[in-house]
Amino acid sequence: MTTPSPTADTGAELLPIATPARTRAALRTLIRPDRGLALTGLGILVAATAVGLLVQPLLGRIVDIVADGRPAGDLTLPVVLLVAVAVVQGLTTTLGLTRIARLGETVLARLRERFVERALNLPADRLERAGAGDLTARVTGDVARVAEAVRSALPEMARSVLAILLTLGALALLDVRFLLAALLAVPVQLLTARWYVRRALTLYADQRVANGAQQQQLLETIGGAVTVRGHRLEEQHTERSAGRSRKAVDLTMRSVNLVLGFYGRLHIAEYIGLAAVLIAGFWLVRDGAVSIGTATAAALYFHSLFGPVNAALVLLDDAQSAAAGLARLVGVTDLAEQSEQSEKPEPTAGKAAPVSVPQQRTASSEAAVTVHEVSHAYGPGRPVLHEVSLTLKAGEHVALVGTSGAGKSTLARIVAGVQQPTTGTVTAPASTGEASVVLVTQEVHVFTGTLAEDLRLARPDATDADLRTALSTVHALDWAEALPDGLATVVGEGGHRLDPARAQQLALARLVLADPALAVLDEATAEAGSAGARVLERSAEAALAGRTALVVAHRLTQAVAADRVVVLEAGRVVESGPHDELRDADGPYAALWRAWSGSRATTAPHP
């Protein structure tokens, strides 16, 4: 279960945050495979802490020997035992903390793997509403905060809690009145913890949201720097960035003041407890109920609690911060799981439900694609598609055309299975070992690594000969082999830079290697510019040969080459047919063709 998505002052609908109960349940699920390691580590820490509790009685014994005026030789045994206790406690503590640290790192790795896996399956429209900043903040800041807590707070918290419990038990063994005196500090400590926790969780959650909004603004400003400068919006964007930074700083200062108040209250609790134990010791020694050494041991026991108690309470700061971060991570994984479950059609008894949302994958000898009454909206009041129905025959190439905002890219993503429709169904080819559907967009990412490794993302078992064949198919083999190290050339971040046209050819080569039954191209040649447009169009035609294809046409030359053209207007299919037929019909497509042809004639260079 997740809480409703908060909305930052960016206007974005942020990704959901898991409730405390759901976060605890997710944590138990993460730890469950390593219960044996957790119990072993905990048991060793109990033994280490118990051995360490022998220090105070041994020191009290030394005090009694000195107070009674006994020979110096009587000190030998307690001193030897103190050394032995130190050695044994050091070894067992190291072993126990090592196991707890291993548990933490294992759980952290599992959390990261699950988060990345789920984040990759998030609905595209949901990510668009949230903005990149929110997800970026969770991937970086929240994961780092949880990792920090796992590496430092978890082992220290485990040791501190055990030390507190066993030390209180040791005080009771000396004399229960020492325990009662020490417990006078507990109400103040509990009230302090309650005061802190009630404020910290909300404050840290707000801080995360503010940081996400700040990152989102920075990403938008930097990513759109050219547009910002072109429209002279530098001052406005600077003020927005400054405002969101001020909000983040304000929340940080509030958290600092909260921590200072927390420490001040802890010092009061320490004073009350230690004063009570010393007074109890004075009375008990005066009445002959305990020896000076025993009273000394009790005082040392309580003093030894300063470290564990303060550590445990102070670690609430890290724990609350990590809990807020973990809740944000679990919120993302739960959202992805809900999306995956919604894709699976639920069996119904009797009459079928009137609305069907999931995209279906069915085996078909003709590999046809059927879109049946698909509608989609990016939130209430924002419809993009209206009951669109479309059929692609096996091997048919269909071009989607229309003005900007007509819904072409949305329909393409729905057909590709990247996005789920609000209502309606899509029947597409089932996977038979290879990818059933591959989507290629105009935004191509070149992964860091060798060119061969980048290509093998589509087919890990591909041989070098397969890679060369795929590159040759999309007319990219010549430039690939001309790279400094050929297929072994490092590309991507920090490597050899590929221009947009070559990056797009790389994506088309991956499509050839994946060999899907259905290929969806969403303006896949748009980034090439006029010079490289024809080259990319030839590459796309070669990559699509022999397979069913849906092409969002950036240039109408792609529509000319298609078997059929489908025209979208305001989210509805208004025309469908071959290029020549629609061009001569004097309808919406003819108007688009005249506008496009006229624009080309106007901008063409004079001989």
Side-chain angles (χ1 to χ4, degrees), residues 81-101:
L81 290 176
L82 279 174
V83 173
V85 166
V87 172
V88 173
Q89 184 186 23
L91 292 175
T92 52
T93 299
T94 300
L95 182 59
L97 290 178
T98 299
R99 289 185 172 272
I100 294 296

Side-chain angles (χ1 to χ4, degrees), residues 304-316:
S304 70
L305 283 175
F306 285 7
V309 169
N310 287 347
L313 293 178
V314 168
L315 286 173
L316 285 174

Side-chain angles (χ1 to χ4, degrees), residues 231 236 343 509:
H231 290 273
Q236 295 180 25
E343 295 177 12

Side-chain angles (χ1 to χ4, degrees), residues 322-355:
L326 183 60
R328 285 160 56 82
L329 297 178
V330 173
V332 171
T333 60
D334 282 356
L335 177 62
E337 288 177 357
Q338 292 166 10
S339 174
E340 290 174 0
Q341 291 172 1
S342 69
E343 295 177 12
K344 301 175 182 178
E346 297 182 1
T348 56
K351 189 176 180 179
V355 176

Side-chain angles (χ1 to χ4, degrees), residues 12-325:
E13 182 187 347
L14 301 183
L15 296 168
I17 299 173
T19 61
R22 175 66 194 115
T23 303
R24 289 192 295 270
L27 185 59
R28 287 193 296 270
T29 302
L30 290 169
I31 295 176
R32 189 172 295 122
D34 297 292
R35 284 176 296 182
L37 182 60
L39 293 175
T40 303
L42 188 62
I44 295 174
L45 282 182
V46 169
T49 305
V51 171
L53 292 177
L54 296 174
V55 170
Q56 288 82 358
L58 289 172
L59 291 175
R61 179 63 177 169
I62 291 174
V63 170
D64 283 336
I65 290 173
V66 174
D68 294 342
R70 299 179 189 176
D74 291 351
L75 296 174
T76 304
L77 180 60
V79 170
V80 171
L81 290 176
L82 279 174
V83 173
V85 166
V87 172
V88 173
Q89 184 186 23
L91 292 175
T92 52
T93 299
T94 300
L95 182 59
L97 290 178
T98 299
R99 289 185 172 272
I100 294 296
R102 182 182 301 170
L103 169 68
E105 290 294 337
T106 303
V107 172
L108 178 62
R110 191 174 294 124
L111 171 65
R112 282 174 166 162
E113 291 169 1
R114 183 167 300 181
F115 178 78
V116 171
E117 177 187 355
R118 299 300 183 187
L120 291 174
N121 291 324
L122 284 174
D125 57 333
R126 188 64 183 84
L127 279 178
E128 290 175 359
R129 295 201 303 272
D134 186 31
L135 186 61
T136 300
R138 299 191 191 212
V139 170
T140 56
D142 291 323
V143 170
R145 186 54 60 94
V146 173
E148 181 183 353
V150 165
R151 291 179 178 132
S152 59
L154 177 62
E156 187 62 29
M157 176 69 84
R159 187 173 65 169
S160 297
V161 171
L162 288 173
I164 293 168
L165 295 176
L166 294 178
T167 301
L168 291 177
L171 276 173
L173 289 176
L174 292 179
D175 192 296
V176 72
R177 286 167 287 190
F178 285 127
L179 175 61
L180 295 175
L183 291 178
L184 290 177
V186 172
V188 179
Q189 292 167 336
L190 291 179
L191 288 174
T192 298
R194 183 170 179 268
W195 172 84
Y196 176 77
V197 169
R198 290 177 62 183
R199 289 161 175 79
L201 188 58
T202 302
L203 179 58
Y204 285 125
D206 291 343
Q207 196 173 0
R208 295 288 181 276
V209 171
N211 289 337
Q214 181 188 32
Q215 290 195 30
Q216 178 67 27
Q217 181 60 47
L218 291 174
L219 288 171
E220 290 178 352
T221 301
I222 295 172
V226 175
T227 302
V228 170
R229 287 196 298 268
H231 290 273
R232 299 294 189 269
L233 298 175
E234 295 94 337
E235 185 175 347
Q236 295 180 25
H237 276 258
T238 300
E239 180 56 33
R240 288 177 189 171
S241 298
R244 285 161 191 157
S245 295
R246 284 194 296 269
K247 183 174 182 180
V249 170
D250 177 64
L251 289 170
T252 300
M253 293 309 300
R254 285 174 56 189
S255 67
V256 170
N257 291 330
L258 181 68
V259 171
L260 291 176
F262 179 63
Y263 279 117
R265 286 166 171 80
L266 287 184
H267 293 328
I268 294 173
E270 291 174 358
Y271 174 80
I272 292 173
L274 184 57
V277 170
L278 290 174
I279 292 172
F282 172 77
W283 285 339
L284 292 172
V285 171
R286 187 186 62 178
D287 295 341
V290 298
S291 67
I292 296 176
T294 301
T296 301
L300 291 173
Y301 269 137
F302 187 82
H303 188 272
S304 70
L305 283 175
F306 285 7
V309 169
N310 287 347
L313 293 178
V314 168
L315 286 173
L316 285 174
D317 180 60
D318 292 335
Q320 292 301 312
S321 182

Side-chain angles (χ1 to χ4, degrees), residues 356-545:
S356 177
V357 175
Q359 184 182 64
Q360 302 169 352
R361 290 283 184 264
T362 59
S364 171
S365 59
E366 297 183 351
V369 179
T370 302
V371 179
H372 180 66
E373 295 184 355
V374 162
S375 297
H376 189 72
Y378 291 105
R382 298 173 57 195
V384 179
L385 298 176
H386 304 272
E387 297 183 348
V388 173
S389 294
L390 177 68
T391 299
L392 277 71
K393 299 177 182 178
E396 184 182 25
H397 291 183
V398 173
L400 274 180
V401 301
T403 58
S404 178
K408 305 185 298 297
S409 293
T410 299
L411 181 59
R413 289 200 297 266
I414 289 174
V415 171
V418 173
Q419 191 164 299
Q420 293 301 307
T422 304
T423 62
T425 58
V426 177
T427 303
S431 177
T432 57
E434 296 82 14
S436 59
V437 182
V438 168
L439 170 67
V440 180
T441 69
Q442 68 183 60
E443 298 175 358
V444 176
H445 183 74
V446 179
F447 293 88
T448 301
T450 66
L451 182 64
E453 290 171 342
D454 203 303
L455 288 166
R456 285 193 176 97
L457 290 171
R459 204 174 94 202
D461 61 347
T463 64
D464 286 351
D466 294 331
L467 303 185
R468 288 187 173 87
T469 299
L471 289 169
S472 177
T473 300
V474 298
H475 312 292
L477 183 59
D478 289 343
W479 65 255
E481 291 187 329
L483 293 175
D485 298 310
L487 295 180
T489 302
V490 175
V491 295
E493 189 70 25
H496 187 89
R497 183 182 177 276
L498 299 182
D499 61 39
R502 289 183 174 182
Q504 198 64 256
Q505 284 182 306
L506 179 61
L508 291 171
R510 288 199 293 250
L511 184 150
V512 173
L513 286 167
D515 194 23
L518 169 65
V520 179
L521 270 58
D522 184 5
E523 297 189 351
T525 63
E527 293 293 325
S530 299
R534 184 53 192 158
V535 173
L536 270 188
E537 286 175 7
R538 288 177 57 237
S539 298
E541 289 173 8
L544 298 180

